[in-house]
Amino acid sequence: MIIDIGQKKEICRAVNPAVCKTLKRPLGSKNNGGVQSHLVACVGVGPRRRSRAGSGCCSPFSLVSSQRLAAMAWPRVQLVVTADDFGYCPRRDKGIVEAFLAGTVTSVSLLANGTAAESAAELARRHSIPTGLHANLTEGRPVGPARHTTSSLLNSEGFFLGKMGFRKALEAGDVALPQVREELEAQLNRFRELLGRSPTHVDGHQHVHVLPGVCQVFAEALQAFGVRFTRLPVERGVGSCSWLEAPARAFACAVESDARAAMGPFSRHGLRWTDAFVGLSTCGRHMSAHRVLASLARALEDIPAGRPLTAELMAHPGYPSVPPAGGCGEGPDAFSCSWERLHELHVLTAPTLRARLAQNGVQLCAIDDLDSKRPGEGVPCEATLEPFLKPSPP
């Protein structure tokens, strides 16, 4: 972990117009610039409420005006904004690139089996976009040997089992984990073929990488390929976000539970992740500048003053897919065709979000700007997550 050492010593780095890299000093050394005090109030959407005493999590429904929010003191935060599903279809990719060039999206996750993976890789090279792998075990056709044989990962038509279908099969013990490893390695190799290098990070399409059993295989594969950075999808307080429909809220809580259990295998294999994650409560039509900052506020609560923080915002921007184009071999799904992708794109490219993040001391950065990405160090993130990894209410 790091502490930034003052604006006078900042050095701008043009990864894109909103990304900069600062001189850094190891944690525990003198902080000449002075890290701002931590945020003590939670912000969100809806009527004002009191936080429940002793709950360990402030209410996400407290309403704070934009003026007051801008005046609140935040700790120094490095925020990676990752656009998932790069390579899904040219229209989605066009929007993702626009969000990157606008300066808000700072990283993308590529679907190796996406129908537009090759053109997406060319876009990543052309615009120097930090690109990771979006490991996919749930949608479309496989990349590895499973394409040519019977596999526990596939249905009778040769497609993956789907978001919930894969989870049900895994829970029933019907998924052969060696076949999972084989497919993950095939997608990592495919990424190298497309980009000519290893991914900056690897996360999971529909959070498949944190599932029981899969997380162990996933961690082993990443370690073997020399990938050090992943995503831990734990969003504090997401179970209390009343604007989420009940199924979405239940799924988010299940993802949180799986992610906590995955911390052990991830850390044992040298993987790193950001201190905080947001995006489950701000997906699609639920995304707004205010809600993004509210999610970060929840993540910051109880972190001691002077404590630096890294965070990731998961996003799915783009122009909606138009069937039959797109997808991963079986056409685009309803999620990709929805107007909600365009809504996220508008939020991410409008100046409001970037301005409010900057007002609150949040620095947009690329994934390889994070100090926790440095090789040869311990795994700081497991311990630093523990103070606020408390289960969200169901």
Side-chain angles (χ1 to χ4, degrees):
M1 300 304 296
I2 51 87
I3 295 178
D4 294 312
I5 60 173
Q7 293 182 348
K8 291 184 180 180
K9 294 186 179 180
E10 290 187 355
I11 299 177
C12 292
R13 185 170 76 95
V15 174
N16 66 45
V19 178
C20 69
K21 190 172 186 177
T22 60
L23 290 174
K24 300 176 178 72
R25 190 181 297 272
L27 181 63
S29 61
K30 184 178 179 181
N31 176 23
N32 296 326
V35 177
Q36 299 172 7
S37 61
H38 68 294
L39 183 65
V40 296
C42 179
V43 296
V45 177
R48 185 185 300 273
R49 294 186 183 178
R50 292 181 179 271
S51 297
R52 292 178 297 173
S55 66
C57 178
C58 57
S59 169
F61 308 108
S62 302
L63 180 62
V64 178
S65 69
S66 298
Q67 293 83 359
R68 179 170 173 77
L69 180 61
M72 287 180 173
W74 289 56
R76 175 69 66 180
V77 181
Q78 290 181 295
L79 177 65
V80 177
V81 180
T82 305
D84 287 357
D85 302 336
F86 199 46
Y88 195 86
C89 78
R91 286 176 56 80
R92 289 286 299 278
D93 296 344
K94 180 177 185 291
I96 288 171
V97 171
E98 287 181 9
F100 175 77
L101 295 177
T104 308
V105 164
T106 64
S107 175
V108 300
S109 292
L110 175 73
L111 286 160
N113 70 335
T115 57
E118 291 187 6
S119 60
E122 174 57 32
L123 288 170
R125 286 191 294 269
R126 185 187 311 164
H127 298 289
S128 300
I129 304 175
T131 305
L133 173 66
H134 203 43
N136 182 6
L137 299 172
T138 57
E139 183 178 354
R141 293 192 182 277
V143 169
R147 291 176 298 171
H148 309 297
T149 185
T150 302
S151 172
S152 65
L153 305 181
L154 309 179
N155 61 22
S156 59
E157 298 177 339
F159 296 114
F160 285 131
L161 302 173
K163 180 172 77 171
M164 301 312 298
F166 180 77
R167 284 168 164 80
K168 290 177 181 177
L170 186 67
E171 186 176 359
D174 295 333
V175 172
L177 291 178
Q179 293 176 349
V180 170
R181 173 71 179 263
E182 189 175 59
E183 178 61 24
L184 288 174
E185 291 179 344
Q187 292 186 21
L188 284 160
N189 283 322
R190 175 61 173 158
F191 184 98
R192 285 179 171 176
E193 292 174 4
L194 290 168
L195 273 298
R197 59 168 177 80
S198 294
T200 58
H201 64 280
V202 183
D203 50 40
H205 186 49
Q206 298 170 340
H207 309 292
V208 69
H209 66 302
V210 297
L211 290 171
V214 174
C215 63
Q216 175 70 29
V217 173
F218 176 85
E220 292 171 358
L222 266 59
Q223 184 180 46
F225 276 73
V227 179
R228 301 295 300 277
F229 211 89
T230 189
R231 170 185 291 167
L232 194 78
V234 175
E235 182 176 338
R236 186 180 187 190
V238 72
S240 299
C241 295
S242 62
W243 56 87
L244 294 177
E245 297 82 358
R249 195 160 61 245
F251 180 74
C253 290
V255 168
E256 273 195 321
S257 178
D258 290 335
R260 286 189 209 96
M263 288 173 62
F266 285 1
S267 62
R268 285 193 296 272
H269 288 84
L271 298 183
R272 314 292 182 86
W273 55 87
T274 55
D275 293 305
F277 167 83
V278 296
L280 293 171
S281 68
T282 59
C283 189
R285 64 183 178 276
H286 303 303
M287 179 176 280
S288 68
H290 191 78
R291 278 187 175 149
V292 169
L293 268 72
S295 297
L296 285 173
R298 289 195 302 269
L300 295 177
E301 191 195 24
D302 295 339
I303 296 178
R307 172 86 161 70
L309 180 73
T310 60
E312 179 186 13
L313 169 63
M314 175 187 71
H316 300 85
Y319 294 96
S321 301
V322 178
C328 298
E330 53 184 336
D333 61 9
F335 181 80
S336 185
C337 296
S338 169
W339 62 270
E340 296 183 56
R341 310 282 66 73
L342 186 59
H343 172 74
E344 287 199 25
L345 178 61
H346 288 163
V347 173
L348 292 170
T349 54
T352 304
L353 177 59
R354 294 193 304 278
R356 293 182 68 184
L357 289 170
Q359 287 170 2
N360 287 284
V362 179
Q363 175 194 24
L364 292 169
C365 69
I367 198 80
D368 54 1
D369 286 334
L370 300 183
D371 182 72
S372 55
K373 181 73 163 56
R374 291 179 182 170
E377 298 176 346
V379 184
C381 298
E382 180 178 11
T384 57
L385 277 166
E386 289 176 355
F388 57 92
L389 279 187
K390 300 175 182 178
S392 295

